[in-house]
Amino acid sequence: MVDSFLKYLEFEKRYSQHTVSSYQTDLEQFQAYLTNTYQIDNLSSADYNHIRSWIIALVENEIQPRSINRKLACLKSYYKFLMKRGIIEKNPALRIKTPKVKKRLPVFVEEPKMETLLGKENPEPFFSDGFKGIRDRIILELLYGTGLRLSELINLKNSDFNFYDNTIKVKGKGNKERIVPIHKELKEWITVYNKSKADTFISIDTDHFIVSDKGEKAYPMLVQRIVKEKLNLVSTSEKKSPHVLRHSFATHLLNNGADLNAIKELLGHSSLAATQVYTHNSLEK
C-alpha cells in the first residue's frame, strides 16, 4: 500500500517530488522501527502505542522537532489514506501530540549588500560578460526580484514570460499558479540573457528558461552553488541559499512599505500566517 500512497501523493495531491521522497523515507524508517522493536512487518498493524514509542525514540535521539513533525504528518496522512481504502477503521496517529518547534526568523541579506552585488554602479566584476556570468546573474536577479522558490525557478519556461504585461506565470506548490510582476531592470536582464543564450547555443532541446552550461534544463545543485558563490562575495551569514534570497525579497518589500497581503500573494503563501514571520525582520515596521 505504500507505493499506492506515494502515487496518490504525487498524482492526486500533487505533492512535490521532494516531499514524496521524504514521506517514503519516513515510512521506511517507521517500518524498520516496527520490525526491529516489535517484530511487526506491516505498517497497517501499528497502533497508537507503537507510533508514540517511535516519536519518543526520535526525541531521545535528538532529532529536530521540525523533522519529527513532518514524520508524524506523514503517518497521519498515510493512515488516513488506509482508512479511506477500508484497510483500517481508525487513524492511530491522530492523538499523538507534535513536539513544539522554536520559531526561527527567516535569514536574509541586508539591502545594501544586495545593492552591492546587483547594483548598476557596481565597480566589482562579480559577474563575467560571457553566457555563464549572465546566466548566474539572471538567477540571482530572478530569485531576489520575484521571491521565487528554487523549484519554481528551475521549472520556469520561456512561455511563462509575458513581456506585454511584464509578468511571469509561476507554478508553485500543489501546481497552484500565480502571476508575479517583473520590474524594468529585471526585464532588461532577461532580454540580455535570452540573447546570450541564443548566441551561445545553436539549438536547445528544452523550453526551460534557466539552462546549464550545456544548454540543458538547470538542476538544483547548479543554482544552489551559484547562489552560495555569489552571496559569499557580500555576506558573512552562514546560510546562503536560494531561499535566503526569497526571504530577502519579502523582508525588503516590507521594509519599504509593501502591504503584507500583497507579499503573501507574490510569495504564493496559502495563509497570511506564513507571511507574518517577516514582520519580525522588518526594522522600519
Side-chain angles (χ1 to χ4, degrees):
M1 286 304 293
V2 170
D3 287 341
S4 298
F5 172 64
L6 296 175
K7 287 177 181 176
Y8 162 76
L9 293 180
E10 183 176 0
F11 298 111
E12 292 189 41
K13 300 292 285 183
R14 296 189 178 277
Y15 282 12
S16 70
Q17 191 57 53
H18 175 75
T19 301
V20 174
S21 296
S22 296
Y23 273 33
Q24 181 178 4
T25 300
D26 295 337
L27 291 173
E28 288 172 353
Q29 289 176 354
F30 183 49
Q31 179 62 77
Y33 177 81
L34 286 176
T35 302
N36 295 333
T37 309
Y38 297 103
Q39 289 74 55
I40 294 175
D41 296 324
N42 195 330
L43 287 171
S44 61
S45 301
D47 61 22
Y48 167 84
N49 290 318
H50 298 138
I51 298 171
R52 183 173 180 274
S53 172
W54 185 49
I55 297 300
I56 291 172
L58 292 173
V59 172
E60 289 176 345
N61 285 321
E62 299 183 352
I63 303 299
Q64 290 296 317
R66 286 181 185 275
S67 297
I68 295 175
N69 287 347
R70 190 203 65 225
K71 294 177 189 298
L72 188 52
C74 167
L75 292 186
K76 287 179 179 179
S77 181
Y78 178 66
Y79 288 116
K80 183 179 179 181
F81 174 81
L82 293 187
M83 283 179 66
K84 284 184 177 180
R85 296 298 186 276
I87 295 171
I88 59 175
E89 294 182 359
K90 61 180 181 179
N91 190 330
L94 275 185
R95 290 190 295 122
I96 306 291
K97 291 184 179 180
T98 56
K100 288 186 178 180
V101 178
K102 290 182 180 178
K103 286 189 176 180
R104 293 184 297 180
L105 293 182
V107 175
F108 68 99
V109 181
E110 294 88 344
E111 206 164 347
K113 291 181 179 179
M114 291 306 303
E115 181 63 29
T116 297
L117 183 61
L118 300 175
K120 276 187 175 180
E121 306 302 323
N122 179 16
E124 296 292 335
F126 289 147
F127 301 92
S128 65
D129 294 329
F131 169 74
K132 288 183 183 179
I134 296 170
R135 189 269 321 278
D136 294 357
R137 173 145 195 159
I138 200 64
I139 284 174
L140 272 84
E141 291 279 1
L142 272 168
L143 290 170
Y144 177 58
T146 63
L148 295 184
R149 299 178 176 95
L150 171 60
S151 59
E152 293 169 348
L153 174 78
I154 288 175
N155 290 316
L156 270 185
K157 295 187 176 180
N158 297 313
S159 55
D160 291 329
F161 291 82
N162 183 333
F163 293 116
Y164 180 78
D165 290 335
N166 293 331
T167 57
I168 310 174
K169 181 174 67 178
V170 180
K171 188 170 287 187
K173 288 185 176 181
N175 277 347
K176 290 181 181 177
E177 288 187 354
R178 68 184 188 278
I179 302 298
V180 177
I182 51 177
H183 55 78
K184 183 182 176 182
E185 277 186 41
L186 178 53
K187 182 180 178 181
E188 291 172 357
W189 276 112
I190 290 170
T191 302
V192 171
Y193 168 72
N194 279 331
K195 184 180 184 308
S196 178
K197 185 165 62 170
D199 291 344
T200 305
F201 303 103
I202 298 173
S203 64
I204 293 182
D205 292 333
T206 179
D207 184 43
H208 287 90
F209 179 68
I210 302 294
V211 298
S212 68
D213 299 349
K214 296 180 180 179
E216 300 168 347
K217 178 186 175 183
Y219 47 94
M221 285 292 289
L222 172 68
V223 175
Q224 289 165 344
R225 176 179 57 76
I226 290 167
V227 170
K228 185 175 182 180
E229 176 187 305
K230 298 306 177 184
L231 289 185
N232 266 333
L233 299 172
V234 295
S235 175
T236 56
S237 173
E238 190 174 327
K239 288 190 73 175
K240 301 180 183 75
S241 67
H243 222 67
V244 166
L245 289 175
R246 177 173 161 87
H247 294 325
S248 303
F249 164 78
T251 301
H252 297 167
L253 278 180
L254 199 58
N255 280 347
N256 286 286
D259 177 71
L260 198 62
N261 271 305
I263 296 173
K264 167 186 171 290
E265 296 301 320
L266 290 173
L267 293 175
H269 284 161
S270 56
S271 70
L272 193 60
T275 317
Q276 284 174 332
V277 68
Y278 294 108
T279 59
H280 298 288
N281 275 345
S282 178
L283 299 178
E284 276 76 8
K285 288 286 180 180

